[in-house]
């Protein structure tokens, strides 16, 4: 599989394709090369061979979001390709693909804009070629299922037969896109294109890459930044059968062996003892106190809505502080990478969300140029933002350079858990004001958190409100119609590695916001779902900082979960029902109603979740459902599972036993309602399901027990019946 | 280091490995059967699950010295063409997300259905909860297990 993918890309680079066109930054088509040949490759994304087989290039990393399937659906739709005959190629970083990256739930929007045009251009060129051969008007020809048909006579040419002619044609500047009403593939429930490979064990992940002469490495990293080894047993490690080299690198000490097992055993035998942590090394408990104090500062004001003069004075204020912990990504496939450094060249096999960044950084490390670093992408056994960092590839490249051999570096589970770039802790201070009549009129939300440190901040960036908003999703974009709003951000330094995690900055902010709205509803004496709907009246389209929110879409998802969950119907003793909603960047709108029970020991069991989603145009309903289900399970892990804590600069958790994630027994019945949307494009689904699920759970816990959860994860001892 | 004979997917294999090398590495590194995954190495995630006489076992917990003379089936050997009822059910219910945990999950489900041809929710919970899917495919997995159970019963008839 890897070999054929590379062969394809090489072919493209050699230019044996008849015509290559691409897209510049603004998404415009441009011609790169025009040579006669045996393939029709009108752009970077589509290639048709003489035998009629269609190869679609996927420019996003597949990590479970089904992107290979959904992007292929979009391309195949506009191309009118025969879905059963398409092949996929994965784009690798190159001069043509110079900005690959998967994150922020933007694959569908990107793809929708770029790939439809690519597919349509190819379709038009094929139709023009067929019309010229028949000497008929192109308007009398139509594309259908991998062929161009002359409608009046029913003559047809398979795409393969048109390859040579189409390759000589000029590019259509503005190919006409299909009408949504004519879609045959987009919107259909489409099983994963790689589903059979997965269930038969043939799907290839980074960990499965094998190349001739490959050695295996296990890397002992400094437990905290700046730690130096005090002692190690090199002789003992070398005595382990199969150990070849002990590679001292700038990133730690690697044991390299013939097998993974030799490397693991060698590392254990090496028994590196590190410096003791300095006094004052990072401690998450102390950090939480700093965050809490910071949350009471004024901070940088990210959004202000000044109350109109008619607004009454605040007669009553309620306040609360919400604590959000550190979490690990904990994908089941631990970080790994194969690197083969030879002189100034390097070949990499890796699962990554950031291929070009990886290529560039490996090139810098090796003092070479990016085009000398070939990056082959595999499937990813769980990304969630973790694989936007590329340090594991840099480690592998360094080890390969020292070992002078191709090396597979595999992280152990504790390596993965302790050396993650974590979801950062934050503390939120909220205040809500009511006027003399008891109407909710003011909203204050200050988030104390930390900027990501997995890549340096750009010193050129202006630190204005928009910039701060970017660090505080879910805070400034409160969708509710308070006449008086002020949101703020306070920065607290965080020395441990932290970076994007599923839904990035939103989960903590939306937890605090949606839980506190519930508190206000309670004080107001109103049903929390009705309270939200009331606060979503007024202008339908509102500007919340840099985000535009369509309150109609948010109301609709709330109304659907209200109706489908039999909201308001009685529940047994010890049970509760909670609601929460969110508009993710004004793109994807989701509401949940959660039913749960709390037992005598304070153990929470989520029993049922009703979800409603408006994510714009739905490309693959199966994918949307899967992401909602997965997002719910992710949220159950953060509400009821483990957290990461630090002592002496080191994460204390190292396994799924001490950083618990949801299992089958924690799984509720899930009902997903996908709403018809008036949006004109598809929006992301990987991240948006995550933020509102945790507050829906904690609000249900309040309904069941009368106890407000203001610190995650939920601690059963605090809910124990007394 | 010793010569160890074992049967994998109905094929006799002789490997030359350390006595303490876990079966998961014999399968993955020595025999290049990478369908069996590694997720923790300490028996708590289930990614490395294989079958022995129809029973699900964790290959990271079986050292070579103990794997000797035993017979295992990996995901590659479950069927030639993804036609095993569990694989079919998994496809029909569109279970997989990233897919990494899925070989282990499918084989764990095979073991469950051997002992409980018509499993209750509780039985599904008990057996499947020893395995981790970080993508959260559990709701679909539950459906797939029920579907596989029905397919298996049909097959027996
Ligand atoms: S790798 Fe064997 S149970 Fe996790
Ligand atoms: S499908 Fe990704 S871990 Fe289970």
């Amino acid at each position: 599989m890897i070999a054929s993918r590379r062969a394809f890309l090489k072919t493209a680079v050699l230019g044996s394709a008849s015509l290559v066109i691409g897209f510049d930054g603004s998404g415009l088509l441009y011609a790169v090369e025009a040579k006669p040949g045996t393939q029709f490759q009108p752009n970077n994304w589509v290639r048709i061979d003489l035998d009629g087989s269609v190869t679609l290039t996927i420019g996003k990393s597949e990590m479970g979001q089904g992107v290979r399937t959904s992007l292929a659906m979009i391309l195949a739709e506009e191309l009118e390709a025969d879905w059963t005959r398409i092949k996929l190629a994965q784009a690798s970083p190159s001069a043509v693909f110079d900005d690959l990256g998967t994150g922020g739930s933007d694959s569908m929007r990107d793809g929708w804009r770029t790939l439809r045009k690519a597919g349509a251009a190819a379709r038009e060129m094929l139709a023009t070629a067929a019309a010229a051969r028949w000497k008929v008007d192109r308007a009398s020809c139509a594309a259908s299922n991998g062929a161009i048909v002359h409608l009046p006579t029913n003559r047809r040419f398979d795409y393969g037969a048109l390859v040579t002619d189409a390759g000589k044609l000029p590019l259509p500047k503005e190919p006409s896109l299909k009408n949504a009403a004519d879609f045959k593939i987009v919107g259909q429930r489409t099983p994963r294109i790689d589903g059979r490979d997965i269930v038969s064990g043939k799907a290839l992940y980074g960990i499965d890459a094998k190349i001739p002469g490959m050695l295996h490495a296990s890397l002992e990293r400094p437990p905290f930044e700046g730690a130096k080894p005090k002692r190690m047993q090199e002789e003992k490690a070398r005595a382990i059968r199969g150990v070849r080299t002990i590679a001292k690198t700038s990133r730690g000490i690697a044991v390299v062996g013939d097998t993974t097992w030799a490397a693991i055993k060698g590392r254990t035998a090496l028994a590196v003892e590190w410096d003791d942590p300095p006094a004052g090394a990072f401690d998450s408990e102390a950090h939480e106190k700093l965050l809490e104090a910071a949350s009471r500062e004024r901070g940088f004001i990210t959004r202000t809505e000044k109350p109109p003069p008619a607004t009454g004075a605040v007669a009553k204020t309620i306040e609360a502080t919400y604590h959000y912990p550190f979490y690990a990504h904990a994908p089941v496939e631990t970080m790994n990478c194969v690197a083969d450094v030879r002189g100034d060249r390097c070949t990499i096999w890796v699962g990554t969300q950031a291929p070009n960044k990886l290529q560039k950084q490996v090139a810098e490390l090796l003092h070479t140029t990016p085009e000398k670093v070939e990056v082959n992408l595999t499937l990813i056994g769980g990304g969630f933002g973790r694989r936007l960092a590329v340090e594991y590839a840099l480690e592998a490249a360094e080890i390969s350079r020292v070992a002078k051999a191709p090396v597979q570096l595999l992280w152990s589970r504790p390596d993965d858990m302790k050396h993650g770039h974590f979801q950062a802790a934050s503390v939120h201070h909220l205040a809500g004001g009511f006027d003399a009549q008891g109407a909710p009129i003011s909203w204050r939300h200050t988030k104390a958190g930390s900027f990501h440190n997995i890549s340096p901040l750009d010193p050129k960036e202006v630190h204005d409100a928009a910039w701060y908003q970017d660090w505080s999703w879910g805070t400034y974009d409160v969708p509710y119609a308070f006449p008086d709003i002020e949101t703020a951000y306070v920065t607290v330094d965080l020395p441990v590695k932290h970076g994007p995690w599923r839904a990035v900055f939103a989960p903590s902010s939306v937890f605090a916001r949606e839980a506190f709205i519930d508190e206000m509803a309670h004080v107001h004496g109103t049903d929390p779902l009705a309270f939200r709907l009331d606060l979503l009246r007024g202008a339908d389209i509102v500007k919340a900082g840099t985000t535009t929110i369509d309150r109609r879409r948010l109301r609709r998802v709330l109304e659907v979960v209200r109706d489908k969950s039999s909201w308001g119907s009685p529940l047994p003793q010890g049970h509760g029902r909670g609601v929460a909603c969110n508009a993710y960047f004004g793109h994807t709108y989701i509401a949940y109603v959660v039913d749960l029970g709390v037992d005598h020991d304070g153990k929470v069991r989520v029993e049922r979740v009703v979800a409603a989603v408006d994510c714009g145009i739905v490309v693959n309903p199966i994918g949307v459902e899967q992401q909602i289900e997965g997002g719910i399970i992710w949220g159950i892990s953060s509400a009821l599972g483990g957290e990461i804590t630090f002592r002496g600069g080191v994460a204390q958790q190292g396994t799924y036993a001490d950083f618990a994630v949801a299992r089958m027994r924690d799984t509720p019945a899930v009902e997903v309602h996908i709403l018809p949307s008036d949006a004109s494009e598809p929006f992301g689904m990987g991240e948006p399901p995550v933020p509102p699920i945790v507050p829906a759970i904690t609000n249900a816990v309040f309904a069941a027990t009368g106890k407000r959860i203001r610190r995650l994860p939920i601690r059963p001892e605090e809910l124990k019946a007394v | 280091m010793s010569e160890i004979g074992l049967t994998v997917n109905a094929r006799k294999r002789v490997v030359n490995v350390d006595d303490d090398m876990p079966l998961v590495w014999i399968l993955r590194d020595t025999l290049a059967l990478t369908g069996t995954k590694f997720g923790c190495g300490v028996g708590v995630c289930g990614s490395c699950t294989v079958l022995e006489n129809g029973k699900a076992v964790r290959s990271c917990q079986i050292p070579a010295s103990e794997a000797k003379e035993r017979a295992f089936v990996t995901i590659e050997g479950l069927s030639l063409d993804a036609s095993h009822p569990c694989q079919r059910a998994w496809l029909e219910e569109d279970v997989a997300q990233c897919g990494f945990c899925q070989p282990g999950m499918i084989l764990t489900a095979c073991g469950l259905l051997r002992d409980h041809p018509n499993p209750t929710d509780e039985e599904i919970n008990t057996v499947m909860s020893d395995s981790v899917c970080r993508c959260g495919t559990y709701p679909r997995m539950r459906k797939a297990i029920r579907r596989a159970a029905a397919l298996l019963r049909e097959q027996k008839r």
Side-chain angles (χ1 to χ4, degrees), chain A residues 62-66 189-192 195-196 198-205 207-210 216 240-241 258-262 264-265 327-334 379-384 408 410-414 501-502 605 621-622 625-627 629-631 633-634 637-638 655-657 659 661-668 670, chain B residues 1-2 17-22 25 27-42 44-47 58 75-83 86-88 90-103 105-106 121-122 124-143 145:
Chain A
E62 178 63 82
M63 48 192 176
Q65 79 283 45
R189 300 184 67 83
T190 309
R192 278 281 288 280
R196 287 173 72 85
I198 290 174
V199 300
S200 44
K202 290 187 193 122
L204 293 179
Y205 301 82
I207 196 177
D208 303 325
K210 301 232 177 281
H216 298 262
I240 300 288
R241 194 194 321 270
D258 292 335
T259 62
T260 312
W261 185 239
I264 294 172
K265 265 172 83 176
Y327 292 115
H329 299 79
V332 181
E333 183 190 15
T334 57
L379 288 173
I380 297 178
F384 316 121
Q408 176 173 61
L410 175 64
W411 290 35
S412 70
R413 175 58 54 192
W501 185 82
R502 198 167 176 183
R605 162 124 184 76
I622 295 175
E625 290 166 5
Q626 286 181 320
Q627 289 308 304
E629 291 158 4
I633 301 297
W634 188 272
S637 293
S638 4
T655 71
Y656 285 123
F659 178 76
V661 297
R663 308 277 181 130
M664 180 67 92
R665 68 169 100 80
D666 307 307
T667 300
V670 176
Chain B
M1 185 101 151
S2 33
V17 298
D18 278 359
D19 288 344
D20 57 357
M21 177 143 133
W25 302 118
L27 296 171
R28 292 184 50 84
D29 285 356
T30 316
L31 302 176
L33 291 168
T34 54
T36 304
K37 302 302 186 202
F38 164 85
C40 71
V42 295
V44 303
C45 77
S47 323
R58 303 205 153 177
I75 191 73
E76 291 93 339
L78 191 59
S79 72
L80 289 174
D81 50 0
S83 63
C86 277
Q87 291 168 312
R88 274 163 56 202
W90 243 252
L91 288 172
E92 285 162 15
E93 293 293 346
D94 300 299
V95 176
Q97 288 186 35
C98 83
F100 193 80
C101 71
Q102 303 280 312
M105 291 289 187
I106 289 171
D121 263 338
E122 227 10 76
I124 293 177
N125 284 348
T126 306
V127 174
M128 301 306 293
S129 291
D130 284 338
S131 298
V132 173
C133 173
R134 185 62 161 148
C135 297
T137 62
Y138 306 122
R140 274 164 203 272
M141 233 171 334
R142 189 187 296 281
K143 287 187 201 149
I145 291 168

Side-chain angles (χ1 to χ4, degrees), chain A residues 633-703:
Chain A
I633 301 297
W634 188 272
I636 290 175
S637 293
S638 4
L640 306 174
E643 64 177 314
I644 297 290
T645 53
F646 296 86
R647 292 281 174 280
V650 181
Q652 294 179 292
Q653 293 71 21
T655 71
Y656 285 123
D658 48 21
F659 178 76
V661 297
R663 308 277 181 130
M664 180 67 92
R665 68 169 100 80
D666 307 307
T667 300
V670 176
E671 228 178 81
V672 181
H673 300 277
I674 304 175
L675 272 52
S677 180
D678 33 34
S680 57
E681 51 187 342
F683 297 114
M685 276 306 297
E687 296 175 339
V690 169
I693 184 66
V694 170
I697 292 171
T698 59
N699 291 339
V701 168
F702 177 76

